[in-house]
Amino acid sequence: MLSKVVSTQRQEYTDSDGKKKRREVLKKSYKTNRVKISTEMAYLLTYRIVNTLTGNIIRSGDIDAADSDKVDFINWNRYDGVNPSNLRIRDGSKFKRLSSDDRKAMGARSTHKTTDEMLKWGAGRIGREMPKEFLEALKHYSPTR
């Protein structure tokens, strides 16, 4: 679990042989928080179409739908203007690039569908299915039967 990332900078130095070299040094460290949210919602409408004259059930059944949403992101808002691709993790005295999974999570969608959004979708889906069921049931129905 990624919890601490760092920004680095290049630093020139002279080694013991007097040669100029470059190395990455710590510039600043940041704490991160990875968030994983998963939600599922199922909808079920049980219906009966009844001939009110005779009380006979013309058709009955269920209409169901399901919706889900999943987000996996790392809270990051480019602190100090640092791009996530420039962040590193410390591995002993060395700095390693973030894994592609972590880089993707930093740029991932962080908003999660609300319950209202999921209910609205489910109600719409069921609302579109109900007329189909009713029309199919009434296709061969005659009120004189």
Side-chain angles (χ1 to χ4, degrees):
M1 177 103 172
L2 183 67
S3 62
K4 190 175 181 182
V5 294
V6 298
S7 61
T8 59
Q9 62 187 24
R10 293 270 184 196
Q11 181 184 63
E12 285 190 12
Y13 71 100
T14 306
D15 69 5
S16 59
D17 296 331
K19 292 184 180 181
K20 292 221 179 231
K21 291 193 171 188
R22 288 182 154 195
R23 64 180 165 207
E24 261 188 318
V25 294
L26 175 70
K27 184 175 181 181
K28 190 170 181 181
S29 64
Y30 304 93
K31 288 186 179 182
T32 63
N33 182 30
R34 189 160 195 159
V35 179
K36 293 181 180 187
I37 303 170
S38 180
T39 304
E40 294 179 18
M41 193 174 282
Y43 316 88
L44 177 66
L45 173 72
T46 301
Y47 70 90
R48 281 189 289 187
I49 301 173
V50 178
N51 179 329
T52 55
L53 184 64
T54 64
N56 292 335
I57 296 174
I58 299 168
R59 185 179 183 122
S60 65
D62 296 321
I63 300 173
D64 62 353
D67 195 9
S68 64
D69 193 21
K70 185 182 210 178
V71 292
D72 175 7
F73 65 95
I74 295 175
N75 281 334
W76 182 258
N77 64 356
R78 294 183 187 258
Y79 298 105
D80 302 327
V82 178
N83 187 318
S85 63
N86 295 330
L87 292 171
R88 306 284 185 259
I89 55 172
R90 194 172 212 158
D91 184 16
S93 62
K94 299 193 184 247
F95 298 97
K96 292 169 79 175
R97 199 168 176 213
L98 298 180
S99 71
S100 62
D101 179 55
D102 288 336
R103 287 193 312 274
K104 285 178 190 172
M106 285 187 161
R109 173 175 63 100
S110 61
T111 56
H112 190 257
K113 284 184 189 177
T114 65
T115 301
D116 287 345
E117 289 171 323
M118 294 176 92
L119 284 171
K120 184 178 177 182
W121 180 88
R125 172 82 190 266
I126 288 174
R128 287 185 298 277
E129 293 297 318
M130 275 193 325
K132 293 176 191 174
E133 291 290 322
F134 292 163
L135 288 173
E136 183 63 32
L138 299 175
K139 186 189 290 186
H140 305 290
Y141 172 74
S142 171
T144 57
R145 285 193 226 163

